Structure formats: C-alpha cells, structure tokens
Amino acid sequence: DAGVIQSPRHEVTEMGQEVTLRCKPISGHNSLFWYRQTMMRGLELLIYFNNNVPIDDSGMPEDRFSAKMPNASFSTLKIQPSEPRDSAVYFCASSLPTGYNTEAFFGQGTRLTVV
Amino acid sequence: GEDVEQSLFLSVREGDSSVINCTYTDSSSTYLYWYKQEPGAGLQLLTYIFSNMDMKQDQRLTVLLNKKDKHLSLRIADTQTGDSAIYFCAERGSSASKIIFGSGTRLSIRP
C-alpha cells in the first residue's frame, strides 16, 4: 500500500479564495483524521470520521472550514474563504478498525500558504 | 476535555540518553503512542504502549507508563544526530475514538 496520500503537497492561494485539500486513506482503514500543525498551536485535531461518518468536529475552527468523506477512500477539507491565519501544514491520517493496534498513519501533509 | 502536555525543547549531548516526558488527562486512555516527525515530513509511529503495561523496550527506546500519575516517558539510549526531530506523545481512549497529540518536543543533539 502507498500509505495515506494527500494532495496537493503545497498550496499557495490569495486571501478570500476557496481551498480544497484531499486525502486518500490506506485501504481498509475506517478511521480518518484531519490535523493542522502550526508553530503556535502545535498539532490540532480538526475533525475525525469513523466509517465515513463525522464523529467529532469540535476542533474545526469556524464555519469557513468543512470536511467531507463521501466514501471510504476519499476525504476533503475545504476552507472558504481562506484567510492568512489559515496558513499551516494540514495532515490527514487513517487507522485500522476495532480490535487492532489502532495507531494513526499519517500522510506527508499539505503546506498551505494564504497571502 | 482530553489534553496531552509536553515540554517544547530538549537538548542532549550525542551519546547521552534523552528522556522526553508527557502527561495526559484522560484516565480512560487505552493506547499511548510516541511519534517522530523529521523536517518537512509527516509523523511516523516510533512505539506504543497499552494502558495495562508499565514498560516497553524496543532496541534503544524505552517507554515508561505511570498510569496513576498519567505520565508517559520515552527514553532514547545513546542518542545520535539522526535522532534530531520533534517527538509527539499521543493518547487514544478506545480503538474508535479520536487521537489527541501533545504539542511535540523538539530534540536537538549537541556534539
């Protein structure tokens, strides 16, 4: 398996534009997480899904952020409109089903810069 | 809510042991993890421990868990320059719950 795949790796956009980050989890994993990493706040959990259903989105900063998981092999994180303070590295991670050691496997991240 | 705390920086001399500490608040934590992040990369699992264990050793790595104090530590023996990275502590209450990470400890190695 290629691991968790995120795209794009880098994104530079202007303030006010819509940004969509994409994630393909490892096949067979049923939990998917979106994290944001900044120097100031460390690694924050934004939202996580189990079996494609959002379970906890309390970490989503505000209404400008939305996440979807239309099927078991794809998830998106959308920011609309984007602001400079959204600049960060966004990580997607996935983990195995119940009963296994449920460590999270991380993608390489998307570095977002909003100017 | 759940919280995981770590010190931000640690500097050790090459060849010495490094000890990175972590505290967590969720008493129902079942899985506790240590991840390593190298520059420009994602996080990779180093080791993990179940809450019913006190210690786990894996080559140069030793994990100690004090469940009563909710304290987790990672000891790296004979620290090398390649160990320079950010180390994250993380906890998970159950196999279906969210994984909460600490802020990460940046380990730097002095010659």
Side-chain angles (χ1 to χ4, degrees), chain A residues 9 31 33 35 37 39 42-43 45 48 50 56 58 91 95-96 98-104 106-108, chain B residues 31 33 35 37 40-45 48 50 86 88 92 94-103 106:
Chain A
R9 288 294 311 275
S31 291
F33 309 84
Y35 291 89
Q37 186 178 26
M39 288 290 289
L43 194 65
L45 176 65
Y48 83 103
N50 276 348
D56 186 342
S58 59
F91 287 104
S95 72
L96 282 166
T98 304
Y100 293 85
N101 176 27
T102 55
E103 75 206 63
F106 279 74
Q108 291 297 297
Chain B
Y31 307 92
Y33 308 96
Y35 281 79
Q37 184 184 33
L43 281 70
Q44 288 195 306
L45 182 73
Y48 64 92
F50 294 116
I86 303 175
F88 290 88
R92 191 172 199 181
S94 71
S95 58
S97 64
K98 57 190 174 184
I99 304 177
I100 302 298
F101 283 80
S103 55
R106 186 178 295 272

Side-chain angles (χ1 to χ4, degrees), chain B residues 2-16:
Chain B
E2 308 91 342
D3 193 21
V4 178
E5 295 196 353
Q6 306 175 235
S7 54
L8 292 179
F9 301 99
L10 177 66
S11 176
V12 299
R13 198 187 310 272
E14 187 175 1
D16 288 353

Side-chain angles (χ1 to χ4, degrees), chain B residues 5-42:
Chain B
E5 295 196 353
Q6 306 175 235
S7 54
L8 292 179
F9 301 99
L10 177 66
S11 176
V12 299
R13 198 187 310 272
E14 187 175 1
D16 288 353
S17 292
S18 306
V19 179
I20 303 171
N21 294 300
C22 167
T23 57
Y24 59 97
T25 58
D26 187 359
S27 57
S28 65
S29 294
T30 303
Y31 307 92
L32 295 137
Y33 308 96
W34 283 104
Y35 281 79
K36 178 182 181 182
Q37 184 184 33
E38 297 188 352

Side-chain angles (χ1 to χ4, degrees), chain A residues 7-8 11 13 16-23 34 36 46-47 49 60-70 74-83 86 90 110 112 114:
Chain A
S7 64
E11 175 82 31
T13 191
Q17 296 297 305
E18 177 180 295
V19 175
T20 299
L21 311 182
R22 296 173 176 80
C23 175
W34 282 101
R36 177 172 69 175
L46 301 178
I47 185 171
F49 297 83
M60 295 286 262
E62 48 199 89
D63 292 345
R64 297 184 298 106
F65 286 68
S66 62
K68 293 182 180 177
M69 192 163 186
F74 185 65
S75 177
T76 59
L77 178 68
K78 188 175 292 187
I79 308 172
Q80 166 63 18
S82 57
E83 296 182 4
D86 301 331
Y90 291 81
T110 295
L112 174 65
V114 184

